[in-house]
Structure formats: C-alpha cells, structure tokens
Amino acid sequence: MAAYDKADLERRMAGSVEALKHDLGGLRTGRASTSLLDPVTVEVYGSHMPLNQIATVSAPEPRMLSVQVWDKSNVGPADKAIRSAGLGLNPIVDGTTLRLPIPDLTEERRKELAKLAGQYAEKARIAARNVRRDGMDSLKIDEKKGLFGEDERKRHETEVQKLTDSTIADIDATATAKEKEILGK
C-alpha cells in the first residue's frame, strides 16, 4: 500500500489554515465577538473545560460580552479564568452573569496583538512545512518499495511543494489581513 496520499496532505494543509483562522478569531479588534473567549478554559469539576461548555456566551452590544454561567458554583472559576487569560478583559459579576465591557484598544495593545497574530501565523507555517516533510518522506518510502520510480517521485515532490507554497501564501494573506484589522489600517 502506498504511503503517499495527496488528498490527505491537502486536507492537513487546509487544516493548518483553518486552525490559524480560528486562533486569529480570538484576537479582538475593539468589537465584541463571542470567539474572543474561545481560548478561555475554566478549571471546574476537576478538569479544564472550554468556557462555552459551562456558560452561554453572547454579544448583546457592540462593545459588551455577556457570559451566563449555568451553575452558580462555576461563576468564580469562570471570572478567574477570563481575568487570567491575558485578553485584557475584566468581568463584572452580576449573579450568574459576567458582563465584559470591551475597552478601547491602545496603540501599545494593538502592537502586542499584531505580534501575537504573527506568532500564530508562524505556528501555522511550521504546521504546513511539517505536512510537506511527511509527504516527502512518504514519497521516498514508496520509491524504496518500488511503487514508482525516481522521475515520478520528483513529479510528486513538485506537486507537494506547490501545495505547500500555496498554503503558506494563504497563511500569509490571512495573517496580513488580521494585522491590518488590528492596527486599524
């Protein structure tokens, strides 16, 4: 059986772009978005759970998020998790509801967020390159097994490289658009 699977490589490369989009969705740009709280995990019931599994997150106003915690005993841990997530948000506790006003972004905070977006993009590029490496390794294994010759291996390697270049271009375009959005340009 052949180790090289072009469809699998394409799926994994597309996955690295989707993961980047998900990560970038958590970076705020001054507008309230429920995806802002996606990276927040809360320690409840002896394990770490995403915030959206213990509460309902909504954006009732353009500059306000609302977190309706289902179990009153989880309000404290949810408050603590949001404060310690490094998002620059300070919840206001109102019973089982946490209100999160979205403050204006300072120039310094915008630069920090743009830098973080760049780090997310680099992580995605590394993931794409790892997929390329896996594809190249599987091509060499298939050639050694005698499934195809050197010419066909080189042709497939060119395809893998083109796929990688295309994926990295998508990553760069996505990251650049987010950085411009963050910096307000």
Side-chain angles (χ1 to χ4, degrees):
M1 179 167 162
Y4 173 70
D5 183 0
K6 183 178 178 183
D8 182 54
L9 293 177
E10 289 171 344
R11 181 189 57 78
R12 291 172 58 197
M13 293 244 186
S16 66
V17 174
E18 288 306 312
L20 172 65
K21 288 179 181 176
H22 182 267
D23 288 346
L24 292 178
L27 294 180
R28 67 187 175 99
T29 58
R31 293 184 306 270
S33 169
T34 58
S35 64
L36 179 62
L37 298 175
D38 284 351
V40 177
T41 58
V42 184
E43 188 172 347
V44 291
Y45 310 121
S47 65
H48 290 276
M49 299 175 74
L51 181 64
N52 63 7
Q53 290 187 4
I54 66 158
T56 302
V57 180
S58 62
E61 299 173 27
R63 304 197 44 83
M64 173 80 71
L65 286 174
S66 175
V67 179
Q68 180 69 43
V69 181
W70 301 323
D71 185 352
K72 190 172 184 170
S73 64
N74 293 336
V75 173
D79 178 40
K80 181 180 174 188
I82 293 169
R83 289 180 191 275
S84 64
L87 299 172
L89 299 174
N90 293 312
I92 300 166
V93 180
D94 181 17
T96 59
T97 302
L98 302 174
R99 300 195 193 295
L100 292 91
I102 308 294
D104 287 332
L105 290 175
T106 63
E107 187 63 28
E108 180 181 320
R109 183 68 178 143
R110 287 179 188 272
K111 288 179 181 176
E112 287 175 17
L113 290 174
K115 185 177 178 183
L116 188 58
Q119 291 172 354
Y120 287 161
E122 185 56 30
K123 224 170 59 174
R125 284 186 209 99
I126 290 170
R129 289 183 196 119
N130 286 340
V131 173
R132 176 188 62 192
R133 185 196 62 228
D134 293 346
M136 297 295 193
D137 290 348
S138 63
L139 285 170
K140 289 175 186 169
I141 290 169
D142 285 352
E143 182 186 15
K144 285 181 183 175
K145 287 181 182 176
L147 297 175
F148 47 75
E150 183 180 349
D151 290 342
E152 192 171 351
R153 176 185 55 86
K154 287 186 179 189
R155 184 176 54 78
H156 286 306
E157 283 179 351
T158 303
E159 288 175 358
V160 171
Q161 186 59 48
K162 283 181 182 175
L163 178 61
T164 305
D165 293 342
S166 159
T167 302
I168 289 179
D170 288 348
I171 290 168
D172 290 343
T174 303
T176 302
K178 186 64 173 187
E179 286 173 4
K180 283 181 180 177
E181 182 182 340
I182 290 170
L183 295 172
K185 292 181 180 175

